């Protein structure tokens, strides 16, 4: 399951159809591939070697720049306001940074997807392979998704898709429908 909305460091990519371009309070309405918003966001997303990973992308770059962070949020809000979602689910921990401002702007609830053992009264999914090493289990709060709920999954990046797939399975387990999986950066191997 590929992210529909993404930004790559060397190849500016925000996958949105022509009809998804919206005017925002920033005055910038071109969220297209190689558009000015994508280039502006990419200019502050550094990467560096980390724990054996050649290019570890750090969202801290745009978090240091409130106007760029706002652009990131505006891109997602424009897309998901048009599509319509019932809730936003973010992955532990960087999805907790990006997801709540989007949820607030859309006036939708935010759901934390956490690793097993970190959240009470939670339902556990099946074991999945993590992006960089090892295995883990995700959990979701009991009762957070109802049958037929349209849920947006959000994280900072997708590498192999293991974590996103685990999130999709949890939402389905509760009877929800994943509208899309969104991330700021997609790592292509």
């Amino acid at each position: 399951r590929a992210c529909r909305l993404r930004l790559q460091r060397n190849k500016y990519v925000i996958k949105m159809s022509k009809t998804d371009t919206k005017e925002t309070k920033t005055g910038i309405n071109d969220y297209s591939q190689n558009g000015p918003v994508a280039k502006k966001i990419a200019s502050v997303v550094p990467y560096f070697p980390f724990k054996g990973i050649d290019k570890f992308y750090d969202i801290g770059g745009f978090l240091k720049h409130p106007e760029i962070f706002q652009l990131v949020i505006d891109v997602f809000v424009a897309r998901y306001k048009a599509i319509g979602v019932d809730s936003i689910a973010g992955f532990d921990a960087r999805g907790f940074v990006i997801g709540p401002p989007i949820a607030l702007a859309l006036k939708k609830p935010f759901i934390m997807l956490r690793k097993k053992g970190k959240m009470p009264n939670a339902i556990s999914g099946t074991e999945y392979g993590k992006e960089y090493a090892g295995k883990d289990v995700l959990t979701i709060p009991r009762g957070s998704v109802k049958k037929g709920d349209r849920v947006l999954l959000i994280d900072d990046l997708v590498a192999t898709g293991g974590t996103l797939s685990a999130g999709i399975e949890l939402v389905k387990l509760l009877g929800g429908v994943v509208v899309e999986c969104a991330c700021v950066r997609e790592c292509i191997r």
Side-chain angles (χ1 to χ4, degrees):
R1 306 249 158 96
C3 289
R4 298 282 310 268
L5 183 59
R6 63 187 185 241
L7 168 67
Q8 293 176 212
R9 174 85 174 142
N10 298 322
K11 182 178 177 189
Y12 309 107
V13 178
I14 297 182
K15 290 263 183 176
M16 298 180 80
S17 69
K18 291 177 184 172
T19 59
D20 291 331
T21 303
K22 301 283 183 197
E23 186 71 36
T24 68
K25 63 185 173 186
T26 63
I28 298 172
N29 64 2
D30 182 3
Y31 298 141
S32 63
Q33 179 177 348
N34 293 317
V37 174
K39 289 178 182 180
K40 193 169 187 178
I41 294 167
S43 73
V44 298
V45 179
Y47 63 87
F48 48 88
F50 182 70
K51 293 186 178 181
I53 302 160
D54 292 338
K55 290 184 177 181
F56 182 88
Y57 289 83
D58 182 20
I59 66 168
F62 67 73
L63 297 178
K64 292 189 293 188
H65 301 278
E67 69 284 356
I68 304 294
F69 188 14
Q70 186 65 59
L71 283 175
V72 171
I73 300 307
D74 288 349
V75 168
F76 287 114
V77 169
R79 171 130 183 107
Y80 297 107
K81 186 175 188 179
I83 289 175
V85 297
D86 296 312
S87 59
I88 315 297
F91 293 88
D92 194 348
R94 291 179 187 93
F96 297 176
V97 174
I98 302 165
I102 297 166
L104 285 171
L106 295 173
K107 298 188 180 352
K108 301 296 180 185
F110 179 76
I111 302 165
M112 295 188 299
L113 298 174
R114 303 207 63 194
K115 300 209 170 66
K116 190 173 183 175
K118 292 188 174 187
M119 187 165 43
N121 197 28
I123 296 171
S124 296
T126 57
E127 190 176 77
Y128 68 97
K130 293 192 295 187
E131 274 75 4
Y132 304 116
K135 301 214 178 269
D136 221 327
V137 174
L138 272 184
T139 64
I140 190 168
R142 190 174 305 280
S144 59
V145 175
K146 296 184 180 33
K147 186 173 182 163
D149 279 359
R150 294 171 47 82
V151 181
L152 166 65
L153 296 181
I154 190 151
D155 206 357
D156 65 327
L157 63 82
V158 60
T160 64
T163 305
L164 286 176
S165 294
I168 291 167
E169 293 308 314
L170 273 174
V171 169
K172 284 181 173 179
L173 179 68
L174 296 180
V177 176
V178 175
V179 175
E180 284 188 357
C181 297
C183 61
V184 179
R185 172 75 170 88
E186 180 179 6
C187 300
I188 299 172
R189 293 183 180 189

